[in-house]
Amino acid sequence: MDEVLLRSLTPRVLTILVRRGADFAAAEDAVQDALVEALRVWPDNPPRDQQGWMVTVAWRRFLDAARSDAARRRRESLISVEPEAPDPGPAPGSDDTLQLYFLCAHPSLTPASAVALTLRAVGGLTTRQIAQAYLVPEATMAQRISRAKRIVSGARFDQPGDVATVLRVLYLVFNEGYSGDVDLASEAIRLTRQLTTAIDHPEVAGLLALMLLHHARRAARTAPDGSLVPLAQQDRSRWDTRLIAEGVDILQAALARDQLGELQAQAAIAALHADAPTAEETDWPQIVEWYDELVRLTDSPIVQLNRAVAVGEADGARAGLAELALLDTSLPRYTAVAAYLRERDGDLSRAAELYAEAAQKAPNLAERDHLTRQAARLNTYRSR
Amino acid sequence: MAKYLLLKHYRGAPAPVNDVPMEQWTPEEISAHVQFMHDFAARLEGTGEYVDGQALAPDGAWVRYDGEGRPPVTDGPFAETKDLIAGWMVIDVETYERALELAAELSAAPGAGGKPLHEWLEVRPFLSTPPTITE
């Protein structure tokens, strides 16, 4: 059975239930029950109308739950006037699903809760799958999701939301990578793709392009032993040219609308990297220009740090170090960038020290090992 | 979200402010301490911040390889000089500040006289998986 297809029904079915008067939290529980039921029943007895089947089962579950709950007696009388097994009706437009994205990215939620709720309600993942992906116990994730549902249950379902918040949540999902049973990067791409059909916004397209362009390099980013392969050393023949072409097309269409945003600018930088046949042929001057745009749009110190690297490539290590000197040394990866630029400038002993120092500060194992190897490489080389 | 390890020490950490060995507490004080830890863990499960917690026996041993075909070497009866871990809790929280806040709360577990231990806890971030986007 196509689990992805099944999951893609989730937000639509959930929206239909809410439209019929179910409160969000109860509707969401009912849809999850229906999903589990579908996984059990469909392999032997696939329905012709999958969405209709899901709506019927989920609605029945919702009614059962509402009936068994004495405190909801008032609501029971409300729904008893509804037909017992309602006709699923025509498939709702994609606009309905859009509201679900906004609800799940509601500003009153913490980013972690918004991510969990989006994966569950829009993505249709089970609590267990989400818990696995984030390496926490299922009970913990269940609580995180119920809290999130309680928080947004008071929010009006038809309120227009903030696209930027939704995009940030999807980007967080994408960035989480590949741990666990569910590939969160692919899931984020699927949800963003679905979002582009519901909303016409250049930054949504920008995020999709950015994700596709990064995803295209996935196979080349790690060696078989799991160690990081830096961009310049990646085997470009392993990049997924189909994804790159799609990302570039989407980006160009977005840029043509002349409403530049942060995500489009980031995607443009990714596209310039993807476009270079070799690392040496990278169009660094143009990348610096895009970083200038990004600095203008975000004023983020991390962007300025990345810009210093690009300047170092475009105008030489000295120019990069001069840019770096203007920034706060406590920025994440500052020391790693300093090490790289020192090495390019020929100061190998200082570079080795800085690589070792950067390794101490690395936030994850792959980066720490990578930086330790860089230090070791310079130290071994110099002692010979 | 990021995961942090909160380490409780038998030895090796600075002495707690309320420094009375547990065997000199009243049974009720011990129960109150244990209950506090349970409640703390349950509350973090409720906020979606709990990952794991375990208590460890105090008698650990150092072990190393001693060459092909030979039994492992242990360090013998020198355990009292070592830094020993009494137990740990793993939390998954939004920020480093939140990790410190929770560690401080855990450090306020009641000890002798029902007063907070003010125990020193070690807080260590987990190394995460690399993000999809680094370059």
Side-chain angles (χ1 to χ4, degrees), chain A residues 110-112 134-137 139-140 143-144 147 171 174-175 177-178 214 217 221 362-365 368, chain B residues 1 3 42 44-52 92-94 126-135:
Chain A
T110 63
Y134 286 91
L135 304 173
V136 299
T140 295
Q143 293 289 357
R144 210 180 273 177
R147 273 169 63 87
Y171 198 40
F174 180 74
N175 231 2
Y178 326 114
H214 278 292
R217 300 204 286 258
R221 279 189 69 225
N364 63 67
L365 202 55
R368 185 174 75 182
Chain B
M1 298 290 274
K3 292 188 179 65
L44 291 196
E45 195 170 285
T47 57
E49 294 173 309
Y50 181 79
V51 179
D52 195 12
D92 188 14
V93 292
E94 275 320 320
F126 275 50
L127 287 174
S128 61
T129 52
T132 300
I133 291 174
T134 50
E135 63 272 324

Side-chain angles (χ1 to χ4, degrees), chain A residues 231-232 234 236 239 272-273 275-284:
Chain A
L231 185 57
Q234 287 174 17
R236 289 172 188 235
W239 289 359
L272 285 167
H273 283 301
D275 204 35
T278 64
E280 293 70 35
E281 290 168 86
T282 306
D283 186 349
W284 287 106

Side-chain angles (χ1 to χ4, degrees), chain A residues 67-121:
Chain A
R67 284 197 186 111
S68 66
D69 187 348
R72 294 189 181 170
R73 212 153 262 298
R74 205 173 50 82
R75 178 179 286 112
E76 189 183 12
S77 65
L78 196 87
I79 44 193
S80 63
V81 299
E82 293 265 341
E84 227 227 341
D87 186 80
S94 43
D95 286 349
D96 288 342
T97 312
L98 182 58
Q99 283 150 7
L100 204 54
Y101 278 91
F102 287 132
L103 191 71
C104 293
H106 200 274
S108 60
L109 297 171
T110 63
S113 299
V115 160
L117 192 59
T118 300
L119 287 171
R120 171 89 182 233

